[in-house]
Amino acid sequence: MASKPGILTDWPWTPLGSFKYIILGPWVTETIYSIMVKDPKEWDLTNFTVIPFMLWRMLHNQLWISLSRYRTAKGTNRIVDKGIEFDQVDRERNWDDQILFNGILFFLANKYVPGASHLPLWRTDGVIITMLLHVGPVEFLYYWFHRALHHHYLYSRYHSHHHSSIVTEPITSVIHPFAEHIVYFALFAIPMLTVVFTGTGSIIAIAGYITYIDLMNNMGHCNFELIPNWVFSIFPPLKYLMYTPSYVPSLSLKNQIPSLGL
């Protein structure tokens, strides 16, 4: 919890506890119903992939968590040479809230946003547009939003919750108040909505983009280094596509502002 919690700190389904996934009931029921009564030619593959994609994201995150805790327990090459406190584990136990939130928004977009249903599996132009929009306006806006979060007013009410974790784990990357996640999704929705509205969207472009964000978030918050420095010396532009784990813990300890990253 932030030092001075602001509005929209808690997730709307917090009172439901472990029963929170019941919220997906209406959309799951509608999906099953469409499979049973519609002709296979009318099936919307985009709608059918929402739940499997949510499960993939959970598995992906869990793999990173397991790897990180193994390396932390092993005690070698740790960036912050400390153990993980039980308070941090408790604070970060609801890391799947953001996946549930995204899943709800994907279902809503699939139903109500023009062009967001019956997407093809692949379109090369949409993938290129997604990449360009991410390295351009998304990174720019994210940088300034992150700077704003480190202003004492917003930091004390929201972002201090994230920086309560000194020994960062991969999933620390998504431990934010609900209000922050609303803005994060709005930023990352820029490429996705653009390809949808321009008719260049595809299932792989959107799923691949979110998976890339998860990958960077998880790797960037590990308490050990995965990418050696010589890789950035050989290919300097790589620093514009990813950040290193050794930089993020310093952000937690020194309250600095990152230059780039998710």
Side-chain angles (χ1 to χ4, degrees), residues 137-157:
V138 173
E139 284 282 6
F140 175 80
L141 293 172
Y142 180 90
Y143 168 74
W144 286 107
F145 175 61
H146 200 163
R147 288 199 66 156
L149 287 173
H150 280 259
H151 182 275
H152 64 85
Y153 181 86
L154 293 178
Y155 187 85
S156 62
R157 287 163 175 77

Side-chain angles (χ1 to χ4, degrees), residues 40-206:
K41 295 180 180 179
E42 299 178 356
W43 288 353
D44 182 5
L45 186 60
T46 308
N47 178 274
F48 295 169
T49 56
V50 174
I51 294 298
F53 182 56
M54 291 176 64
L55 295 175
W56 155 245
R57 294 185 68 193
M58 292 177 188
L59 175 61
H60 183 199
N61 288 331
Q62 185 59 59
L63 290 173
W64 277 102
I65 294 172
S66 300
L67 173 63
S68 176
R69 291 184 178 176
Y70 167 75
R71 291 289 296 271
T72 299
K74 193 175 180 181
T76 57
N77 300 321
R78 293 191 296 192
I79 297 171
V80 179
D81 194 16
K82 295 182 179 180
I84 301 173
E85 298 180 356
F86 288 113
D87 288 343
Q88 177 179 338
V89 175
D90 289 339
R91 185 172 58 254
E92 297 180 350
R93 71 184 184 277
N94 289 323
W95 54 265
D96 58 330
D97 279 336
Q98 51 96 23
I99 297 178
L100 175 58
F101 175 53
N102 292 175
I104 293 172
L105 293 178
F106 284 139
F107 273 123
L108 290 174
N110 174 253
K111 188 173 182 65
Y112 297 109
V113 174
S117 61
H118 300 280
L119 293 176
L121 275 176
W122 173 265
R123 278 198 60 153
T124 303
D125 50 359
V127 173
I128 295 173
I129 291 172
T130 300
M131 294 170 60
L132 292 175
L133 287 175
H134 176 78
V135 300
V138 173
E139 284 282 6
F140 175 80
L141 293 172
Y142 180 90
Y143 168 74
W144 286 107
F145 175 61
H146 200 163
R147 288 199 66 156
L149 287 173
H150 280 259
H151 182 275
H152 64 85
Y153 181 86
L154 293 178
Y155 187 85
S156 62
R157 287 163 175 77
Y158 297 102
H159 206 51
S160 58
H161 177 68
H162 172 68
H163 287 291
S164 298
S165 301
I166 302 301
V167 183
T168 59
E169 291 193 280
I171 213 61
T172 303
S173 60
V174 296
I175 303 303
H176 302 286
F178 178 52
E180 278 192 51
H181 273 287
I182 294 175
V183 180
Y184 290 142
F185 188 87
L187 290 176
F188 298 136
I190 293 174
M192 294 186 287
L193 290 177
T194 299
V195 296
V196 166
F197 290 147
T198 58
T200 58
S202 66
I203 294 174
I204 292 179
I206 293 175

